[in-house]
């Protein structure tokens, strides 16, 4: 049952030589063989490569290696993060048989920490979506109810962690893609501050919003993994040269004196009553742990989704121009380069990606740039200012992660706007450049589905989030529940 362990539990077992890294990796592979035909978290797994890495870890363990906090730990990788020698498809057909010739910086860092990196994990095409239904390879399914979506775009990562198909995973978050699937699958997901983690080797969706972050079975593991991947990188000019604190030092700290804001704009509207109750109960729990909770206001919240879908699509339209049939992956031949380009993109991209490229091209086009793109950038500043004002009074802000629990496959496919509304609570964090974490905070009754509590922190306030989230987690039973898999 090694696949069921957390990072810290497995690391302790490996250090005591009670199990080998090969056994741990094999345990995950066996679990995948059993559960993934139903759940479809993985697009592919290179078992031989994973076991070879595990053997290397075992050799290092035998030699008494020190200072490698993830030595022998199997970590599954979202299909948007480049791993040398492995396929890189971004949930899309357009990359064809493309194999990455290099490691993303987060991968180099994980390797240096001793992790066993394996699997290409399913996602919405180019990270555009909230359900994995936009994957060109078919959706993943929620282990709490396989008729339901796991969230997205890092839905496969959340499934793989929740179903114990891996020990931990890395996802990416542009408007909620780590936190929303974490909430819907009952795990922990942390989006670091913009600039905290290098984006080198993360295929760009919206470059001013994207961040890579941990998806884990508990808060302690998120702290460990975040520490391993954070830091300045000369390959990413937007990564910030701030020292990386020991995030695990925030575990087990008291909440006495912590000030938490409850945003009134996040507790009304289309919020499901069961989610609202769970979040209110979580707020009371935080208070009983010593935190002081006060109401705050984020007045520009209602503009967040519109602002996001202008900025994200504008950036995506530019970033995705590189997939032209010439540089990478799949190609459909044409009589001339333009025809080749049109046919390749016509055949290679799915409908949601095309919709966003068209929208993004439109908002950037001359005559509309000022009316849409420039205006959205101004509103983005107002949204950021709301948060910076709130953070003068509080250390963190508590909200629901999602307005509803996991919905059924197909339920929102026909209406993109309904799908976009799912990100209402997660999107502002990216627009404002903050950090955020989702932790399990209960279940709906019938059917029983996970609910997520979101904590938002100041730029580079990850330590505060980890302190709050860990104290809450340790005081509540939710993270101990496992998905009832067939
Ligand atoms: N669901 C949002 C979108 O479709 C966010 C996705 C993400 O964070 N990658 O853009």
């Amino acid at each position: 049952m090694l696949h069921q362990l957390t990072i810290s539990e497995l690391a302790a077992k490996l250090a005591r030589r009670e199990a080998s890294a090969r056994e741990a990796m094999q345990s995950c592979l066996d679990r995948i063989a059993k559960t993934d035909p139903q759940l479809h978290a993985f697009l592919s797994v290179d078992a031989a490569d994973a076991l070879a890495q595990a053997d290397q870890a075992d050799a290092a363990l035998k030699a008494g290696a020190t200072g490698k906090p993830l030595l022998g730990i199997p970590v599954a990788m979202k299909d948007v993060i480049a791993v040398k020698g492995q396929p890189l498809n971004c949930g899309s057909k357009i990359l064809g048989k493309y194999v990455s010739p290099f490691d993303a910086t987060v991968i180099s860092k994980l390797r240096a920490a001793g992790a066993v990196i394996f699997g290409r994990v399913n996602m919405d095409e180019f990270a555009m979506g909230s359900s994995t239904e936009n994957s060109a390879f078919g959706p993943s399914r929620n282990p709490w109810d396989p008729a339901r979506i796991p969230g997205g775009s890092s839905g496969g990562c959340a499934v793989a962690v929740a179903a114990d198909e891996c020990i931990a995973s890395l996802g990416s978050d542009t408007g909620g893609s780590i936190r929303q699937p974490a909430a819907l699958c009952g795990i922990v997901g942390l989006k670091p501050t913009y600039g905290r983690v290098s984006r080198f080797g993360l295929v760009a969706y919206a470059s001013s919003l994207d961040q890579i972050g941990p998806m884990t079975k508990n808060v302690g593991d998120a702290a460990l993994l975040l520490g391993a991947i954070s830091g300045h990188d000369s390959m990413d000019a937007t990564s910030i040269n701030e020292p990386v604190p020991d995030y695990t030092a925030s575990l087990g700290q008291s909440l006495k004196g912590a000030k938490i804001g409850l945003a009134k704009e996040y507790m009304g509207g289309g919020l499901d009553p069961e989610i609202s109750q769970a979040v209110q109960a979580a707020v009371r729990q935080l208070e009983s742990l010593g935190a002081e909770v006060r109401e705050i206001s984020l007045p520009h919240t209602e503009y967040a989704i519109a602002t996001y879908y202008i900025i994200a699509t504008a950036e995506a339209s530019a970033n995705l121009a590189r997939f032209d049939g010439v540089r990478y992956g799949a190609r459909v031949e044409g009589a001339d380069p333009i025809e080749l380009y049109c046919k390749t993109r016509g055949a290679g991209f799915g409908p949601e990606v095309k919709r966003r490229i068209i929208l993004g091209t439109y908002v950037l086009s001359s005559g509309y740039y000022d009316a849409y793109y420039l205006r959205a950038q101004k509103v983005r500043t107002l949204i950021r200012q709301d948060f910076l004002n709130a953070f003068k009074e509080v250390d963190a802000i508590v909200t629901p992660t999602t307005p509803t629990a996991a919905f059924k496959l197909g339920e929102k496919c026909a209406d993109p706007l309904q799908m976009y509304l799912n990100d209402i609570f997660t999107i502002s964090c990216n627009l404002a450049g903050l950090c955020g974490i989702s932790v399990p905070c209960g279940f709906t009754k019938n059917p029983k589905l996970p609910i997520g509590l979101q904590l938002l922190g100041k730029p580079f306030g990850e330590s505060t989030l980890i302190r709050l989230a860990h104290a809450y987690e340790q005081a509540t039973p939710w993270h101990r529940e496992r998905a009832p898999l067939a």
Side-chain angles (χ1 to χ4, degrees):
M1 294 312 218
L2 295 172
H3 57 275
Q4 292 182 334
L5 300 179
T6 63
I7 295 179
S8 55
E9 289 166 351
L10 178 58
K13 258 196 192 311
L14 294 176
R16 291 195 300 262
R17 313 295 316 279
E18 289 167 14
S20 69
R22 174 173 266 267
E23 285 164 344
M25 188 61 244
Q26 190 60 53
S27 178
C28 293
L29 293 172
D30 293 346
R31 177 69 175 167
I32 291 168
K34 201 164 146 211
T35 51
D36 220 51
Q38 185 185 20
L39 299 177
H40 192 229
F42 287 86
L43 298 175
S44 65
V45 177
D46 183 342
D49 174 69
L51 291 169
Q53 291 179 62
D55 287 343
Q56 275 181 17
D58 280 327
L61 281 158
K62 201 167 165 195
T66 52
K68 287 180 181 269
L70 301 172
L71 189 55
I73 307 292
V75 181
M77 217 35 68
K78 186 175 180 182
D79 189 29
V80 72
I81 298 173
V83 176
K84 188 174 178 179
Q86 295 296 328
L88 178 61
N89 289 100
C90 309
S92 180
K93 292 236 149 79
I94 204 161
L95 276 140
K97 296 194 187 327
Y98 184 76
V99 169
S100 175
F102 70 99
D103 275 337
T105 296
V106 292
I107 300 297
S108 312
K109 284 181 175 279
L110 287 185
R111 290 198 201 283
V116 173
I117 291 143
F118 81 103
R120 303 306 300 165
V121 182
N122 197 22
M123 55 182 281
D124 287 295
E125 185 174 5
F126 287 105
M128 298 176 185
S130 310
S131 69
T132 72
E133 291 169 294
N134 295 335
S135 168
F137 306 102
S140 303
R141 288 169 183 272
N142 194 312
W144 292 88
D145 175 0
R148 291 174 189 269
I149 58 99
S153 65
S154 313
C157 300
V159 174
V161 173
D164 293 316
E165 295 177 328
C166 61
I167 305 301
S169 183
L170 288 189
S172 68
D173 190 313
T174 305
S177 277
I178 288 176
R179 292 158 287 153
Q180 184 256 21
L184 301 189
C185 291
I187 65 159
V188 173
L190 191 159
K191 186 205 89 78
T193 305
Y194 187 76
R196 176 75 291 184
V197 176
S198 169
R199 291 181 296 111
F200 179 70
L202 169 69
V203 178
Y205 160 16
S207 313
S208 77
L209 302 162
D210 301 338
Q211 272 290 289
I212 297 170
M215 301 179 73
T216 55
K217 295 177 190 179
N218 65 24
V219 176
D221 282 5
L224 262 173
L225 213 44
L226 179 66
I229 62 172
S230 290
H232 180 247
D233 177 15
S234 59
M235 300 299 279
D236 173 4
T238 64
S239 77
I240 294 183
N241 205 348
E242 281 279 322
V244 179
D246 175 3
Y247 292 114
T248 60
S250 303
L251 304 172
Q253 299 279 324
S254 141
L255 296 196
K256 289 254 155 14
K259 292 195 203 68
I260 301 178
L262 184 61
K264 58 173 185 252
E265 290 83 359
Y266 281 57
M267 293 304 287
L271 185 60
D272 181 288
E274 277 184 286
I275 307 241
S276 172
Q277 281 157 23
V279 170
Q280 280 163 18
V283 166
R284 287 192 296 274
Q285 181 78 54
L286 287 163
E287 279 175 327
S288 77
L289 291 167
E292 181 195 317
V293 180
R294 52 173 86 159
E295 191 175 279
I296 55 140
S297 175
L298 300 165
H300 295 93
T301 298
E302 63 175 304
Y303 306 111
I305 291 206
T307 304
Y308 172 85
Y309 277 96
I310 291 171
I311 293 172
T313 57
E315 294 184 14
S317 72
N319 279 325
L320 272 57
R322 73 192 62 169
F323 302 104
D324 55 5
V326 178
R327 295 175 173 83
Y328 316 91
R331 171 182 302 169
V332 183
E333 296 294 347
D336 55 49
I338 299 292
E339 194 183 308
L340 176 150
Y341 186 90
C342 293
K343 283 191 168 164
T344 299
R345 287 166 69 84
F349 287 137
E352 181 62 25
V353 173
K354 286 179 185 160
R355 179 174 12 252
R356 296 196 188 195
I357 292 173
I358 292 168
L359 189 59
T361 308
Y362 176 79
V363 300
L364 288 176
S365 59
S366 103
Y368 296 104
Y369 183 96
D370 289 2
Y372 296 111
Y373 183 72
L374 202 63
R375 218 173 162 75
Q377 290 292 13
K378 290 180 177 166
V379 179
R380 180 179 188 172
T381 303
L382 294 175
I383 291 169
R384 180 175 164 84
Q385 209 52 56
D386 281 355
F387 280 98
L388 297 183
N389 286 340
F391 284 131
K392 286 181 194 149
E393 282 181 53
V394 296
D395 306 309
I397 295 169
V398 61
T399 83
T401 309
T402 59
T404 66
F407 47 91
K408 292 222 165 85
L409 267 100
E411 197 178 309
K412 296 185 199 275
C413 286
D415 185 351
L417 288 183
Q418 275 306 313
M419 192 69 94
Y420 298 173
L421 285 173
N422 219 263
D423 303 320
I424 179 120
F425 302 137
T426 49
I427 265 175
S428 297
C429 170
N430 304 68
L431 287 170
L434 313 173
C435 52
I437 191 169
S438 180
V439 282
C441 76
F443 293 89
T444 59
K445 283 208 176 56
N446 195 14
K448 181 176 177 177
L449 298 167
I451 300 174
L453 180 77
Q454 179 175 240
L455 290 159
L456 299 173
K458 297 174 195 178
F460 298 95
E462 284 84 355
S463 294
T464 304
L465 291 189
I466 288 166
R467 170 180 161 217
L468 293 167
H470 185 252
Y472 174 77
E473 174 190 81
Q474 293 305 305
T476 52
W478 319 118
H479 67 288
R480 283 192 288 274
E481 302 233 12
R482 310 310 298 158
L485 277 180

